[in-house]
Amino acid sequence: MARVLMIGAGGVGTVVAKKCAQNDSVFTELMIASRTKAKCDKIADEIKQYLPDSRTVVTTAKVDADNVPELVALINEYKPELVINVALPYQDLTIMDACLETGVHYLDTANYEPRDVAKFEYSWQWAYRERFEQAGLMALLGCGFDPGATNVFTAYHAKHYFDEIHYLDIVDCNNGDHGKAFATNFNPEINIREITANGRYYENGQWVETQPLEISQDIYYPKVTTRKSYVLYHEELESLVINFPTIKRARFWMTFGEQYIKHLTVLQNIGMTSIEPINYQGMQIAPLEFLKAVLPAPESLSAGYTGQTCIGVQAKGIKDGKEVVHFVYNVKDHAECHREVQAQGVSYTTGVPAMIGAMLMVNKVWFKPGVYNVEEFDPDPFIAEMNKWGLPVDELAGIELVK
Ligand code: NDP
């Protein structure tokens, strides 16, 4: 039924491709394209090995997604109806430009970030709204887990449990152990830029800035554990407070182990997390990019990874004049992900929602020309597909997990 081009062949791309190959009645043809073709070929080979019955026709190609003419040539040659962008946030705008030029729909999992400024916001991509709308094309932004499933959970709260959401807390716990002294679960450069930036949350119409990891509390993650969790800025907050204007306060919490914070502090203190290029033996090198090159690749963490992730959204507000608190969440086991798609839980929980978003788009269940965030669509079909494709959704009523 659908021919889709996926760009990026890292941890998340591995999962998206395998989930598309599992869902072969929808994704009949898939091209995996990335900067390093060998990584695309490896995924294609694994699909043949682990999913021998899949009818999805998988091909691979090399593409530099920073280069619009190269993207346009590849898209014109393959003629997909949708591009799934799971490269890096730096490539969002070039891929959107190429989609506009070739008349193809677009989906990504992370908002645009310029390489030289550690700043991410939707303004750059929202600026494409009119052009996508006029071209009759749809772009779906941030369709991983957080952002992605967390936006769906917020819309689900609003649709089923609240007349007004007042307080929103998104919580992300990785209670896993990959056995490495220090590694990041997704692209190290993007991950470290996110965590070392100042924290930010929304309160009474304003953004309140904090020092990195300044605010913390112990949060109970159902079925998993209680973990110290820290406020940091996360991109879904930006669209959620606009799309749900009754929200008075919105925060994002993430767990970090002591070992992780210790390593990060040292790396920061010695300048290894800086994105300012330095001159090293006549070469301009950004220390963070060099650090990425020496850290384990996220997709290499999968074998032997134990423990679970628990990501959810707590909403507090009013229904029929009464105060209500409700929590919607998913728990996923790293080892189970490895057994199923040879990937760890963080890649899995990002890749499955991307496949689901793509399926809803090509099936026209979610379809409007323009540029949209995930919460602007009906959450129910998405939740139903999460339950079907390996991310069961749970709910907890009446207990306030985040104070
Ligand atoms: P990886 O670093 O593992 O993979 C990134 C892939 O993109 C690599 O294959 C890389 O190629 C490729 N790539 C980078 N630059 C280019 C380029 N110019 N042209 C073509 N390909 C390129 O990252 P992850 O898989 O962990 O993450 C993928 C995306 O998912 C990121 O944007 C990340 O922010 C996002 N994400 C979203 C989450 C969510 O819940 N919403 C959670 C986790 C991640 P090469 O191998 O040559 O470097």
Side-chain angles (χ1 to χ4, degrees):
M1 264 194 14
R3 180 186 297 180
V4 168
L5 168 64
M6 181 186 84
I7 301 177
V12 177
T14 300
V15 177
V16 174
K18 289 176 183 172
K19 286 306 229 187
C20 287
Q22 285 179 12
N23 194 358
D24 57 358
S25 60
V26 172
F27 299 98
T28 43
E29 289 170 77
L30 174 72
M31 176 180 271
I32 307 170
S34 192
R35 188 167 51 187
T36 312
K37 186 170 174 287
K39 288 197 183 178
C40 309
D41 293 336
K42 181 168 180 278
I43 300 173
D45 288 345
E46 286 179 359
I47 290 175
K48 266 194 215 132
Q49 183 185 345
Y50 294 105
L51 298 165
D53 298 332
S54 170
R55 287 163 300 163
T56 306
V57 178
V58 180
T59 45
T60 60
K62 176 178 165 53
V63 74
D64 176 2
D66 290 320
N67 183 320
V68 179
E70 226 180 271
L71 286 166
V72 167
L74 182 70
I75 296 173
N76 279 335
E77 188 194 318
Y78 188 62
K79 299 192 173 38
E81 64 186 83
L82 168 76
V83 172
I84 301 176
N85 167 17
V86 281
L88 298 180
Y90 312 136
Q91 281 86 45
D92 287 2
L93 302 188
T94 44
I95 299 178
M96 288 176 85
D97 284 332
C99 284
L100 273 176
E101 205 172 320
T102 52
V104 171
H105 306 298
Y106 170 90
L107 176 149
D108 69 28
T109 65
N111 69 8
Y112 175 69
E113 190 173 338
R115 255 203 186 87
D116 53 348
V117 202
K119 178 181 179 185
F120 43 94
E121 59 179 43
Y122 280 115
S123 59
W124 286 286
Q125 291 181 275
W126 285 342
Y128 282 69
R129 267 182 191 146
E130 259 184 33
R131 277 174 285 162
F132 268 77
E133 210 174 299
Q134 279 164 8
L137 296 174
M138 172 170 163
L140 185 62
L141 308 183
C143 195
F145 206 105
D146 44 344
T150 51
N151 305 55
V152 169
F153 291 173
T154 305
Y156 182 76
H157 278 303
K159 181 173 174 183
H160 296 287
Y161 297 107
F162 291 90
D163 294 327
E164 287 186 10
I165 296 178
H166 292 164
Y167 301 101
L168 192 77
D169 285 288
I170 303 172
V171 295
D172 178 338
C173 168
N174 180 5
N175 198 41
D177 180 7
H178 47 53
K180 302 269 191 290
F182 182 79
T184 62
N185 293 292
F186 66 94
N187 183 276
E189 197 184 326
I190 303 299
N191 190 212
I192 291 172
R193 277 163 70 118
E194 177 177 275
I195 293 158
T196 54
N198 279 349
R200 207 171 355 142
Y201 64 94
Y202 178 86
E203 191 157 41
N204 298 325
Q206 290 186 344
W207 291 100
V208 182
E209 192 148 311
T210 72
Q211 289 301 304
L213 313 185
E214 182 187 332
I215 299 177
S216 65
Q217 65 169 283
D218 286 338
I219 295 174
Y220 171 62
Y221 293 88
K223 299 181 185 168
V224 179
T225 189
T226 298
R227 283 281 301 268
K228 190 166 180 182
S229 311
Y230 298 83
V231 164
L232 55 99
Y233 179 67
H234 226 239
E235 60 203 57
E236 61 265 55
L237 297 177
E238 187 185 3
S239 64
L240 288 171
V241 299
I242 293 172
N243 288 319
F244 299 97
T246 58
I247 292 177
K248 295 178 184 172
R249 189 188 64 209
R251 300 176 297 190
F252 182 96
W253 303 82
M254 194 178 264
T255 57
F256 299 105
E258 269 176 38
Q259 169 100 333
Y260 185 93
I261 293 175
K262 190 169 75 187
H263 278 80
L264 196 61
T265 309
V266 172
L267 290 168
Q268 221 171 346
N269 285 345
I270 60 173
M272 282 306 295
T273 60
S274 169
I275 56 171
E276 283 300 318
I278 57 148
N279 188 304
Y280 178 72
Q281 296 186 345
M283 268 170 73
Q284 289 294 105
I285 301 179
L288 182 56
E289 281 178 32
F290 178 75
L291 176 63
K292 181 197 166 208
V294 295
L295 287 175
E299 66 269 24
S300 72
L301 301 174
S302 171
Y305 209 136
T306 56
Q308 289 97 26
T309 60
C310 175
I311 315 175
V313 179
Q314 174 179 293
K316 256 178 82 176
I318 301 288
K319 177 78 175 174
D320 300 328
K322 287 198 195 100
E323 270 217 353
V324 177
V325 58
H326 202 86
F327 186 59
V328 180
Y329 66 106
N330 161 261
V331 172
K332 194 69 202 173
D333 185 74
H334 286 288
E336 193 188 309
C337 299
H338 181 71
R339 278 195 298 277
E340 186 196 323
V341 291
Q342 305 79 49
Q344 36 94 351
V346 176
S347 306
Y348 189 96
T349 54
T350 309
V352 174
M355 180 280 285
I356 293 173
M359 167 173 46
L360 296 180
M361 281 175 75
V362 297
N363 286 345
K364 302 284 186 282
V365 176
W366 276 12
F367 189 79
K368 280 188 278 191
V371 175
Y372 295 98
N373 293 88
V374 170
E375 69 272 21
E376 295 176 80
F377 294 89
D378 182 0
D380 292 352
F382 198 99
I383 300 246
E385 297 297 342
M386 285 180 73
N387 284 320
K388 195 166 145 193
W389 290 103
L391 293 176
V393 179
D394 275 310
E395 301 183 32
L396 198 63
I399 299 174
E400 194 174 353
L401 302 172
V402 190
K403 304 287 176 213

